[in-house]
Amino acid sequence: MAGLAAKRPVYRNIHVTQILGYRLPIAGIVSILHRISGSLLFLVGLPLILWLFQESLISELGFERFRTAVAHPVVKVALLAMLWAFCHHFVAGIRYLLLDNHVGLEKGSAANSAKAVIVISLALTLVVAGSLFGLY
Amino acid sequence: MTSQRIVTGAHYGIGSWLLQRLSAVLMVIYTVILIVAVLRLPEFNYGNWATLFVHPFMKVSTLLAGAALFYHAWVGVRDIFMDYIKPTGVRLTLQAGTVLLLAGYGCWLVIILWSL
């Protein structure tokens, strides 16, 4: 028993460089994805959306520039990433609001809702992306 | 009564925590409003899209949602800096830059909405 326990890695105050060796529970994965999606929305999403919003409203000509811009492959990839980031941040955020109100705090239900966040946010991303990019 | 040392900092954390959640709820409500408004457009073209934001209701709710978003982003980014950036000077510089950037985004949003 003692020998087995000694072999297990010990993490105290985990550093960012140790992340790959550390096995996060599903709720922890949702938590770090919440942080990553939030940073992406701040760094890329805000300026991108403000720029596209401005072009779309400034004039008829601007609206055409907006249409051309969102059809560009680089902008499309960025928008797809932002769409996932928004969906994840949105769905995970609702889970946190429920947890704050003591809904689903038990270990089992918290793990299940974390799984649901990942599945629902990916599904939402695919559905919205499909309709935005005219797949159907 | 024993000693009453305060060991929990400046106490503005609970305010930020609560406002971050309130701003999140505001953004959820705005998201629903925007999706419904866009889905009700007969066609997505410049005329219909711009007319949507001519209405004072849409202007004001977009600005309020924007304010909630910029405050929410400030709390989140500040938390990230406090967790990962230990040198005080670097952290303060980044935080000041973030405040300026978000304030600038706020002005940008006002300009976009009131150019219509």
Side-chain angles (χ1 to χ4, degrees):
Chain A
M1 268 307 271
L4 208 77
K7 271 185 211 150
R8 294 171 65 183
V10 176
Y11 293 102
R12 291 180 204 280
N13 214 353
I14 184 167
H15 190 258
V16 76
T17 51
Q18 296 174 306
I19 277 175
L20 289 177
Y22 186 84
R23 218 174 67 220
L24 275 175
I26 186 87
I29 292 171
V30 166
S31 174
I32 194 66
L33 286 178
H34 197 67
R35 184 159 271 198
I36 292 169
S37 57
S39 337
L40 278 175
L41 289 168
F42 169 70
L43 289 172
V44 184
L46 279 181
L48 181 65
I49 293 303
L50 278 168
W51 169 60
L52 289 174
F53 189 51
Q54 180 170 47
E55 288 287 59
S56 75
L57 285 178
I58 204 158
S59 65
E60 196 100 39
L61 219 65
F63 191 79
E64 286 314 309
R65 286 198 302 270
F66 158 80
R67 281 228 151 120
T68 316
V70 294
H72 193 280
V74 176
V75 180
K76 266 189 180 174
V77 170
L79 281 177
L80 187 63
M82 288 314 112
L83 183 61
W84 168 81
F86 180 83
C87 290
H88 182 89
H89 213 80
F90 190 96
V91 180
I94 287 172
R95 174 175 177 268
Y96 289 134
L97 287 174
L98 292 173
L99 290 175
D100 286 342
N101 287 290
H102 299 248
V103 177
L105 276 183
E106 298 76 26
K107 196 176 173 186
S109 48
N112 284 337
S113 63
K115 271 179 219 149
V117 165
I118 291 181
V119 173
I120 294 170
S121 59
L122 281 175
L124 271 178
T125 307
L126 289 177
V127 169
V128 180
S131 93
L132 280 185
F133 300 149
L135 292 182
Y136 45 82
Chain B
M1 206 115 191
T2 49
S3 78
Q4 298 190 5
R5 277 192 307 164
I6 298 166
V7 291
T8 51
H11 292 275
Y12 54 74
I14 187 73
S16 305
W17 183 90
L18 198 60
L19 276 172
Q20 193 177 31
R21 274 132 190 94
L22 280 173
S23 57
V25 172
L26 273 178
M27 286 185 283
V28 170
I29 296 169
Y30 179 76
T31 305
V32 174
I33 292 175
L34 187 64
I35 290 174
V36 170
V38 169
L39 288 180
R40 283 182 51 181
L41 291 179
E43 193 201 339
F44 185 68
N45 56 29
Y46 178 71
N48 290 335
W49 174 242
T51 306
L52 194 59
F53 291 94
V54 167
H55 294 297
F57 173 79
M58 208 53 191
K59 266 197 173 74
V60 171
S61 47
T62 304
L63 187 64
L64 287 179
L69 169 60
F70 300 134
Y71 181 78
H72 190 91
W74 160 241
V75 176
V77 171
R78 191 201 62 184
D79 285 351
I80 291 176
F81 288 155
M82 288 196 299
D83 278 352
Y84 302 133
I85 315 285
K86 298 303 175 189
T88 311
V90 181
R91 191 172 68 233
L92 280 180
T93 310
L94 284 171
Q95 287 182 345
T98 304
V99 169
L100 279 176
L101 188 66
L102 289 170
Y105 285 163
C107 298
W108 191 4
L109 184 60
V110 171
I111 292 169
I112 295 171
L113 288 169
W114 269 269
S115 299
L116 272 171

